[in-house]
Amino acid sequence: NAGVMQNPRHLVRRRGQEARLRCSPMKGHSHVYWYRQLPEEGLKFMVYLQKENIIDESGMPKERFSAEFPKEGPSILRIQQVVRGDSAAYFCASSPPLAGATDTQYFGPGTRLTVL
Amino acid sequence: GIQVEQSPPDLILQEGANSTLRCNFSDSVNNLQWFHQNPWGQLINLFYIPSGTKQNGRLSATTVATERYSLLYISSSQTTDSGVYFCAVEGNAGKSTFGDGTTLTVKP
């Protein structure tokens, strides 16, 4: 069973461009979480999605950021008109469908976004 | 939301020494995980430990849920143990809240 996969692993964008980060959860997992780690800081929650639904987006910036998890295909975190402050590592995690108890989240290797 | 506090923020050890890292949290949680982020940025899950004690080789962890803290023990530390250790707790909402981490440096 392959782990959580993220691509690209490294992404360089110029200010004003769009960044699209992809996350393929572990097989059988239907919950996806996105976290951002700014340089020298811990991880901060951004958004929690299930298939075709956003469950909690309380950590998402109000503008330029969006996330989706379609019925087919990976989850996408999109950042429009990137700025230098968006430079960070973006981690995705997945967990299986809840069955009366929470499950551990499995983290991907992260995408390191650099905005020039 | 839940507050997570880790201590100490930085720790420097000589190879072979033992250490204890602490994680305090402000509310009851459904889940608690310890992670190691290596110098290359990879996040490695060490323990899923909402309560009780677990051991894995030189590492062990104890969570006392009623007192809202968890401890990570590293024995006979090695240089490869260097990196940042994060505690992450999960409340009712599904998302995880991370502490700011403990940066461990093990010197040869």
Side-chain angles (χ1 to χ4, degrees):
Chain A
N1 188 3
V4 178
M5 302 184 70
Q6 291 187 248
N7 69 81
R9 296 290 303 275
H10 299 273
L11 181 61
V12 179
R13 285 287 178 266
R14 296 192 180 278
R15 279 179 297 169
Q17 292 184 318
E18 178 179 285
R20 289 169 67 92
L21 287 62
R22 294 174 182 77
C23 169
S24 296
M26 287 180 69
K27 188 176 181 181
H29 286 193
S30 57
H31 296 216
V32 165
Y33 312 79
W34 285 94
Y35 296 84
R36 177 167 65 175
Q37 184 178 29
L38 294 171
E40 308 298 325
E41 294 188 12
L43 281 77
K44 297 290 190 288
F45 168 79
M46 298 182 75
V47 62
Y48 164 31
L49 309 104
Q50 296 178 19
K51 287 282 187 181
E52 299 184 283
N53 280 311
I54 296 175
I55 306 302
D56 181 352
E57 56 181 348
S58 57
M60 286 277 273
K62 299 298 181 198
E63 298 177 348
R64 302 188 296 108
F65 284 72
S66 62
E68 62 176 8
F69 189 16
K71 188 176 180 181
E72 301 291 337
S75 175
I76 307 287
L77 179 68
R78 180 191 297 177
I79 311 172
Q80 296 177 300
Q81 298 175 325
V82 295
V83 301
R84 289 216 174 107
D86 296 332
S87 295
Y90 292 83
F91 288 92
C92 166
S94 73
S95 65
L98 298 179
T102 56
D103 263 280
T104 188
Q105 294 181 11
Y106 297 83
F107 280 77
T111 293
R112 276 145 191 84
L113 172 65
T114 301
V115 179
L116 302 177
Chain B
I2 297 175
Q3 306 298 312
V4 180
E5 190 176 293
Q6 289 188 244
S7 60
D10 298 281
L11 187 57
I12 299 175
L13 298 175
Q14 211 56 42
E15 199 168 26
N18 303 328
S19 62
T20 301
L21 283 59
R22 187 177 180 102
C23 172
N24 292 332
F25 43 96
S26 61
D27 205 347
S28 57
V29 297
N30 293 324
N31 188 359
L32 186 146
Q33 293 179 254
W34 281 98
F35 293 91
H36 175 216
Q37 188 169 40
N38 64 24
W40 296 271
Q42 288 180 296
L43 263 183
I44 299 158
N45 183 293
L46 299 176
F47 293 103
Y48 161 64
I49 185 165
S51 63
T53 297
K54 290 186 178 179
Q55 179 150 10
N56 184 2
R58 296 182 295 103
L59 303 181
S60 64
T62 295
T63 297
V64 183
T66 53
E67 297 187 24
R68 298 180 185 168
Y69 74 89
S70 183
L71 302 174
L72 177 69
Y73 305 97
I74 305 173
S75 63
S76 304
S77 57
Q78 301 175 358
T79 55
T80 51
D81 295 333
S82 295
V84 184
Y85 289 80
F86 288 106
C87 165
V89 303
E90 184 180 333
N92 292 324
K95 63 187 180 186
S96 287
T97 300
F98 281 73
D100 288 337
T102 292
T103 300
L104 175 64
T105 303
V106 180
K107 294 188 171 182

